[in-house]
Amino acid sequence: MTTRVFLVDDHEIVRRGLVDLLGSVPDLEVVGEAASVGEAMVRIPGSGADVAVLDVRLPDGSGVELCRNLLADLPQMRCLMLTSYSDDEALFDAIMAGASGFVLKQILGTDLVSAVRTVGEGGSLLDSRATSALMNRLRSERRDDPLEELSEQERAVFELIGEGMTNREIAERLFLAEKTVKNYVSRLLSKLGMQRRTQAAVLATELRSQR
C-alpha cells in the first residue's frame, strides 16, 4: 500500500533532498510540495496526500498552525513536523495541534522514511522528551487526576487508544458499534480538553508507565 506524501518547506534544496529520498522508496510517493503556508493550503486538499511533512517555521506563518488548519479540514490526514530546532514550546504546540510526529532535520534518512511510514500507518512518533513536555504542561494545567471526569466506559476506550487501536478495533474489543466508540472518543477528548486522539494516546502511554 503506497503512502502519499506532501512536502512543505521554504528551502528548495531541502525539498529536493526529501523528494529524492522519499521518492526512492517503493511504498512512498511524493504527490506535491509547497514553500509556504499559503501554497500548502491551496495545494494539499486536492493532492490526495496521506501524510504532510511540515517545516515548523515558514515565511508566512507557522507549520504548527498549518497542521491545525489542515486537520480541521482533512481529519484523516497525518502531519509530521520537521524542524531544525529543538524547541519544547513548539513541540508541545505541535502535539496539541494534532501532529502525529515531531522530528529534527538532523534525523538519518532511513529513520525519516520509517517515521513517514509510521505516521502514514496511523501511529505516532513522539519520543520520551515529547511525552515529558506534554505531561509537564498537563500537570500544570489540570487536576492531579486528569481522568477523573471520564466514565468507566470512556476510560476503557481511552486505554485502548493508548494501545494504538482504531475505532473499529476498539468496537470489536468492547463489543460496541463503531459509531458508539466514535462518540465515546469525542466525549473523552472534550473532557480532557484535547482535539486529537494522538494527544490522548500520549497521555495514556505516560499514565501507564507511572503505574
Side-chain angles (χ1 to χ4, degrees), residues 184-197 200:
Y184 276 127
V185 171
S186 296
R187 284 204 297 269
L188 73 86
L189 290 179
S190 176
K191 289 181 179 180
L192 293 173
M194 297 176 172
Q195 294 179 313
R196 305 288 170 190
R197 64 190 296 133

Side-chain angles (χ1 to χ4, degrees), residues 27-48:
D27 59 329
L28 300 180
E29 177 188 359
V30 177
V31 295
E33 56 186 273
S36 67
V37 171
E39 288 181 2
M41 288 302 298
V42 170
R43 297 177 182 176
I44 290 178
S47 69

Side-chain angles (χ1 to χ4, degrees), residues 127-179:
D127 61 18
S128 58
R129 189 175 66 86
T131 303
S132 177
L134 176 60
M135 287 307 299
N136 287 338
R137 287 288 290 269
L138 289 173
R139 290 191 188 100
S140 69
E141 295 173 2
R142 302 184 196 286
R143 293 175 290 275
D144 291 336
D145 180 9
L147 306 184
E148 67 177 338
E149 293 186 11
L150 301 189
S151 68
E152 183 176 347
Q153 193 71 289
E154 287 166 350
R155 287 191 183 224
V157 172
F158 172 80
E159 291 290 340
L160 295 178
I161 288 175
E163 294 179 17
M165 289 191 177
T166 64
N167 286 352
R168 178 173 297 180
E169 291 169 336
I170 294 173
E172 293 174 353
R173 174 71 66 86
L174 299 180
F175 304 102
L176 297 170
E178 188 173 349
K179 184 177 181 181

